[in-house]
Amino acid sequence: MVKQLKQYDVIVIGAGNGGLAAAATCAKAGLSTLLLERHNIPGGSASSFVRGRFEFEPSLHELSGIGTPEEPGMVEEMFNRLGAEVDWCKHESTFRLIVPAKEDDTDAFVNENGVRVSVDARMPVGFEAFSRKLDELVPGSYESAMKAFDLAEKMYKAFDALGDGDNMGGIFKALKYMPDVMRMVSHTLQEGLDALGMPKKAQDIFNTYWCYMGVPASKFDFCYYMAMLHGYIKNGTGIPKLRSHEMSLAIDKVIRDNGGDIWYNSEVTKIITKDGKPAGVVVNGSKEVYGKRFICNASPNFVWNDLFDKKDIPQKQLQMTNARDVAVSLTTVYLGMNRTKEELGITDYSVFIAPTSDSDKQYAACHDFFSGYCIINCLNEIIPDCTPKGTSQLFLTTMTFGDVMRDIRPQDYKKFKTKVAKDMIETCEKALNISIMPYIEEIEIALPPTFSRYLNTPHGTPYGYMLNMWDSMIPRTVQFIGDQPFENFLFCGASQERGDGYGCAYHTGEKAAKLTIKALKEGK
Ligand SMILES: Cc1cc2nc3c(=O)[nH]c(=O)nc-3n(C[C@H](O)[C@H](O)[C@H](O)COP(=O)(O)OP(=O)(O)OC[C@H]3O[C@@H](n4cnc5c(N)ncnc54)[C@H](O)[C@@H]3O)c2cc1C
């Protein structure tokens, strides 16, 4: 029997980063707010899990948008606005990129680990320091790097202005920075860096963060990469002391302190429509809850497939969802080690190991398992006491595109998963000339189906849809309202205009909330 409950001003579906930011903003503005999450904890990807004596970080490598006390970044500003408290640990460098040498590479050299490499780039924080280091590695690249960072500053400001809840207002504010943005808006990252005269070898190092959006240089919108890079390089990044779960719990508290309701273990199984637009939701197949407006943090693929009656799905939004490419999927191996990072010989927080530094070649190789691409992170580098004394935790990440699991039979899954993890561990061992395997105390392996089961996204992507040139951040921002399915139902999260990432997801949640608050004030 379906039981009907009270009506809310706003119902938020899903407590990922987008949903949490949306619910907290609505609750703080005094709206009666209900946040529904199918798991027993908040956060989606922003969470933690425990195996043995280790508490693992499931997703966050680097949080851009913390900034400095003098110049707080986008995420820190949002936490301040909400009054959510988090103990940040700063990451004072950026990345180390290692490209192990092929036999025939005559320029290869032996690095400090005793490994023959084509590239070993350990890049510092700060535009000037980064450009100088790049010039040291690839002479003649300083000037082009500094020019690129000058544009990054403008792109960042323009995108910040574009972010306003009110689209047109944002666009007018952004016009101040627009001449350069407009000039570059239809150009790819590769075209932009070519135009600035950056040598190809330097571009490959400069573009290392392409994987953070999963878009290679020939498809990545120049402006967006620059704005993103600004967040990572200018002031460095950070992570919360108690895993990303700390951030999610801090926002959960804001929602409750401001009178919002949060129901965990509550899956939305159907959207109820009235006169062709959403009017309520069914929770766990048994409870009806009604609301005036809705903010949805679940993936549009899932929403159209499972939550709406086919007759109620707006055709334009359905076509748009189908036209988009699903973004990158991740595989992560979480390792609890019975040795310290010093004993293991780990000296960096974040090392990108790539068979090729050319993002397009790497992208092509990532349409199959396992391409040899692996990022290795050691949390103890930033939070020394994040594991018990004498231990450390590592997480290894690789990426794939498309349905890479299609040929794996269920009965072979466990074997396949173990093989992928073994290949990733051996890749890291070889590239860093260290030993990992004998010291593993705990291991957890998450493949795309693991993330898919947890997040309810196609191929388990935590990144939404690929930010191709035709469907990049600026066209999505300008078309934001047109892309929303109903006047009282807005999406938020990684599937929206900024793509993946903590800061992006929070931003879309806050924006959807602001539009919701405005609409309710106007009596819509
Ligand atoms: C391994 C990994 C590494 C990453 N590294 C970084 C990084 O270093 N930096 C960075 O910024 N980003 C990183 N990301 C990406 C980042 O985590 C995501 O882009 C971001 O968290 C997406 O947030 P979201 O708002 O889209 O919500 P999601 O995390 O997708 O959460 C959606 C929530 O909705 C819930 N839900 C879905 N359907 C329903 C329903 N029907 N009813 C109720 N609830 C529902 C789900 O249970 C989930 O809790 C990483 C992600 C992963 C997986």
Side-chain angles (χ1 to χ4, degrees), residues 464-482:
Y465 303 104
M466 199 164 174
L467 285 151
N468 278 317
M469 283 307 286
W470 73 268
D471 186 29
S472 189
M473 187 266 188
I474 289 197
R476 285 192 196 182
T477 303
V478 173
Q479 189 50 29
F480 177 79
I481 293 295

Side-chain angles (χ1 to χ4, degrees), residues 17-18 37-39 44-45 59 61-62 268 297 302 456 462 494 501-502:
N17 286 332
E37 167 56 50
R38 65 192 188 113
H39 292 297
S45 296
S59 67
H61 293 212
E62 294 185 74
V268 172
N297 194 198
F302 163 76
N456 242 356
Y502 277 58

Side-chain angles (χ1 to χ4, degrees), residues 380-434:
N380 303 71
E381 272 290 327
I382 303 188
I383 315 171
D385 59 351
C386 69
T387 56
K389 210 162 175 267
T391 68
S392 55
Q393 69 166 278
L394 308 178
F395 47 109
L396 323 182
T397 309
T398 192
M399 56 185 167
T400 50
F401 294 87
D403 187 7
V404 284
M405 303 299 297
R406 65 192 168 267
D407 299 328
I408 313 299
R409 299 178 309 165
Q411 60 268 42
D412 299 331
Y413 180 62
K414 208 170 158 189
K415 209 165 137 201
F416 177 75
K417 186 167 153 163
T418 309
K419 163 99 174 62
V420 170
K422 189 164 173 280
D423 288 348
M424 288 169 68
I425 294 168
E426 283 173 0
T427 298
C428 295
E429 288 183 323
K430 242 171 115 182
L432 294 175
N433 199 12
I434 59 171

Side-chain angles (χ1 to χ4, degrees), residues 50-359:
V50 175
R51 294 290 180 272
R53 42 184 188 149
F54 298 92
E55 184 179 359
F56 288 100
E57 168 58 60
S59 67
L60 188 59
H61 293 212
E62 294 185 74
L63 182 67
S64 65
I66 299 178
T68 59
E70 305 73 47
E71 197 182 353
M74 203 172 87
V75 173
E76 174 69 348
E77 280 184 335
M78 188 197 82
F79 274 76
N80 289 342
R81 270 194 298 281
L82 292 177
E85 280 175 31
V86 173
D87 190 1
W88 304 117
C89 299
K90 282 288 282 183
H91 174 28
E92 300 297 352
S93 61
T94 63
F95 58 83
R96 181 178 178 191
L97 170 69
I98 293 183
V99 180
K102 306 236 169 14
E103 283 290 306
D104 59 352
D105 183 352
T106 47
D107 291 336
F109 61 96
V110 176
N111 71 2
E112 65 191 47
N113 295 65
V115 178
R116 207 174 148 265
V117 294
S118 298
V119 180
D120 187 349
R122 190 184 267 123
M123 304 308 287
V125 163
F127 294 160
E128 172 73 27
F130 191 99
S131 304
R132 290 222 172 279
K133 180 72 195 178
L134 195 63
D135 197 59
E136 206 181 284
L137 296 163
V138 188
S141 54
Y142 173 80
E143 213 173 302
S144 55
M146 285 304 283
K147 275 191 206 154
F149 284 129
D150 180 45
L151 286 171
E153 193 77 59
K154 290 179 182 153
M155 306 300 172
Y156 181 80
K157 285 183 181 149
F159 283 16
D160 197 31
L162 272 177
D164 271 15
D166 174 350
N167 264 331
M168 287 324 288
I171 287 167
F172 286 125
K173 268 200 237 163
L175 277 174
K176 197 167 144 200
Y177 310 98
M178 278 287 183
D180 286 315
V181 179
M182 292 308 276
R183 210 166 282 132
M184 295 309 295
V185 81
S186 60
H187 291 284
T188 64
L189 174 56
Q190 192 182 319
E191 287 167 348
L193 296 181
D194 280 349
L196 293 175
M198 188 179 285
K200 171 76 173 94
K201 205 170 168 195
Q203 287 188 27
D204 289 347
I205 298 169
F206 195 83
N207 295 344
T208 296
Y209 280 139
W210 74 274
C211 60
Y212 278 3
M213 280 287 160
V215 189
S218 70
K219 291 174 190 268
F220 209 139
D221 163 359
F222 176 81
C223 299
Y224 198 30
Y225 187 77
M226 287 302 138
M228 181 183 103
L229 206 58
H230 181 282
Y232 286 98
I233 310 290
K234 187 168 185 193
N235 292 315
T237 58
I239 41 175
K241 185 153 177 29
L242 303 175
R243 320 298 175 271
S244 47
H245 191 50
E246 182 181 355
M247 298 163 74
S248 302
L249 281 187
I251 306 180
D252 165 309
K253 183 170 182 307
V254 172
I255 300 168
R256 292 175 196 279
D257 287 352
N258 286 279
D261 288 339
I262 309 179
W263 297 356
Y264 290 115
N265 300 308
S266 297
E267 178 168 14
V268 172
T269 46
K270 188 173 166 45
I271 309 261
I272 304 162
T273 53
K274 204 171 159 220
D275 303 326
K277 64 178 199 176
V281 296
V282 177
V283 181
N284 293 335
S286 61
K287 277 186 214 162
E288 280 182 8
V289 201
Y290 285 81
K292 293 177 190 155
R293 304 190 68 89
F294 302 83
I295 299 176
C296 184
N297 194 198
S299 158
N301 277 59
F302 163 76
V303 169
W304 303 140
N305 275 327
D306 291 9
L307 300 189
F308 275 94
D309 278 344
K310 296 281 170 280
K311 66 171 174 40
D312 292 327
I313 303 174
Q315 282 311 296
K316 186 185 159 209
Q317 273 70 25
L318 186 62
Q319 283 169 350
M320 195 57 173
T321 305
N322 285 331
R324 290 182 155 141
D325 293 320
V326 173
V328 62
S329 304
L330 301 178
T331 289
T332 300
V333 179
Y334 306 92
L335 299 171
M337 307 297 295
N338 62 19
R339 290 286 184 281
T340 62
K341 70 179 179 64
E342 289 81 10
E343 286 166 337
L344 293 171
I346 290 185
T347 51
D348 300 271
Y349 169 61
S350 191
V351 185
F352 293 64
I353 299 161
T356 164
S357 49
D358 181 307
S359 60

Side-chain angles (χ1 to χ4, degrees), residues 487-500:
E487 181 268 323
N488 68 339
F489 187 105
L490 304 176
F491 279 108
C492 69
S495 65
Q496 294 306 292
E497 73 272 23
R498 294 203 170 188
D500 91 286

